[in-house]
Amino acid sequence: RQILVLFLFFQILGAVILGFGIWILADKTSFIAVLQTSSPSLKTGAYILIGVGALTMLMGFLGCLGAVNEIRCLLGLYFTCLMVILITQVAAGLVIYFQKEELKEEVSRIVERLIANYDPWNDDDKNDKNLQDAWDYVQKQIACCGWNGAKDWENNAILINKSMSEYPCSCSNSSKDSEENTGFCKLDIALNGTETSADWPVHKQGCMDGVQNWLKDNLGIILGVCTGVAVVELLGMILSISLCKNIHSEDYTKVPKS
């Protein structure tokens, strides 16, 4: 019974990974939406997660089938696929770790381009509108402004034309703008064209710092989950190979010959 529970756990784990990959592709209201629409690498990663999740569910089913019916080839296949998945996860983690600076630069380029082209009145491109809404949501939830800071918004074409007399509402730290989640808000007091982002009533923290702080605060949970999954996968490999060794093959030399 314990063996079947473990294999069932792998099916649940595969469903979770599959669901996470689908969520990345379907999400339209968070920071993930900004990245997955603009970065082909994140889309590829989402498809890989979907494939790994589906494969893990299939392997859980085959493992159950092989254990119940004592089929060596299914248990061997289960062990092999589980080993491939584990090696792939470790390799992906190493790539992310050693390429983190390149990934950070790519994210910076994506967000800075989005901010520079931000236009709340452009409804022609639904994809751009969804991206802008997602970025407004991020700034509102994290209480940040721009990627490196509010100064990033000084590159926005519309704000340049407005002589910086307006600012993004989603960046506001003022309670009067709490209902304005998108678009631009006007400064209460204009300075006759000498305004800069320093004059805006906005959050001073850049979203990059907010995201990094969130990762630091939750790093223990993330590492714990990844370590737990790896340990369970190792246990599954050990269990499957042990079952495979304990299954006795028929000795056909003892079968009477006709």
Side-chain angles (χ1 to χ4, degrees):
R1 180 177 296 179
Q2 290 84 354
I3 294 172
L4 295 179
V5 169
L6 183 60
F7 287 132
L8 179 61
F9 173 79
F10 278 104
Q11 286 189 294
I12 297 173
L13 177 63
V16 171
I17 296 173
L18 177 65
F20 185 62
I22 294 174
W23 172 73
I24 290 177
L25 291 178
D27 181 68
K28 300 298 180 185
T29 60
S30 70
F31 187 56
I32 295 295
V34 176
L35 296 182
Q36 71 96 0
T37 306
S38 306
S39 175
S41 58
L42 188 62
K43 274 189 175 181
T44 302
Y47 287 122
I48 291 174
L49 284 175
I50 291 174
V52 169
L55 182 60
T56 303
M57 290 179 67
L58 177 61
M59 288 304 100
F61 172 75
L62 293 179
C64 287
L65 193 62
V68 170
N69 296 290
E70 296 187 345
I71 303 175
R72 272 188 168 184
C73 64
L74 287 182
L75 290 171
L77 179 62
Y78 177 79
F79 171 84
T80 303
C81 290
L82 207 56
M83 182 174 63
V84 170
I85 290 174
L86 182 59
I87 293 173
T88 302
Q89 290 172 344
V90 173
L94 291 174
V95 168
I96 291 173
Y97 178 78
F98 288 111
Q99 298 291 324
K100 58 184 178 181
E101 292 302 323
E102 289 80 358
L103 291 173
K104 186 186 295 185
E105 291 177 2
E106 182 182 359
V107 172
S108 296
R109 288 193 297 269
I110 291 170
V111 176
E112 288 170 2
R113 185 167 61 248
L114 172 62
I115 290 174
N117 298 325
Y118 183 97
D119 182 357
W121 300 289
N122 182 15
D123 296 325
D124 296 334
D125 193 325
K126 188 176 180 180
N127 186 52
D128 285 347
K129 182 64 176 175
N130 289 336
L131 280 178
Q132 292 175 174
D133 291 343
W135 182 243
D136 283 325
Y137 177 84
V138 170
Q139 292 189 136
K140 194 75 174 177
Q141 292 300 311
I142 300 181
C144 58
C145 192
W147 184 242
N148 301 293
K151 195 172 180 63
D152 289 346
W153 282 96
E154 293 185 7
N155 296 318
N156 179 268
I158 294 176
L159 292 179
I160 292 173
N161 291 333
K162 297 282 187 179
S163 300
M164 303 300 159
S165 61
E166 296 185 5
Y167 58 92
C169 299
S170 57
C171 285
S172 179
N173 59 14
S174 174
S175 58
K176 74 180 182 65
D177 298 323
S178 59
E179 296 181 359
E180 295 290 339
N181 294 326
T182 62
F184 296 131
C185 296
K186 291 185 178 180
L187 282 170
D188 290 335
I189 301 175
L191 301 177
N192 300 320
T194 60
E195 295 88 355
T196 65
S197 59
D199 302 309
W200 297 343
V202 297
H203 300 292
K204 302 305 178 186
Q205 176 184 239
C207 294
M208 177 177 67
D209 293 334
V211 172
Q212 288 180 337
N213 290 336
W214 181 89
L215 289 174
K216 288 178 182 178
D217 293 340
N218 295 275
L219 184 60
I221 297 175
I222 295 171
L223 290 177
V225 170
C226 293
T227 303
V229 170
V231 168
V232 172
E233 288 174 342
L234 283 173
L235 289 175
M237 291 170 62
I238 295 171
L239 178 61
S240 61
I241 201 66
S242 298
L243 286 173
C244 193
K245 287 183 177 181
N246 290 331
I247 294 175
H248 299 289
S249 298
E250 294 290 342
D251 189 355
Y252 293 104
T253 62
K254 298 180 180 180
V255 177
K257 297 181 180 179
S258 56

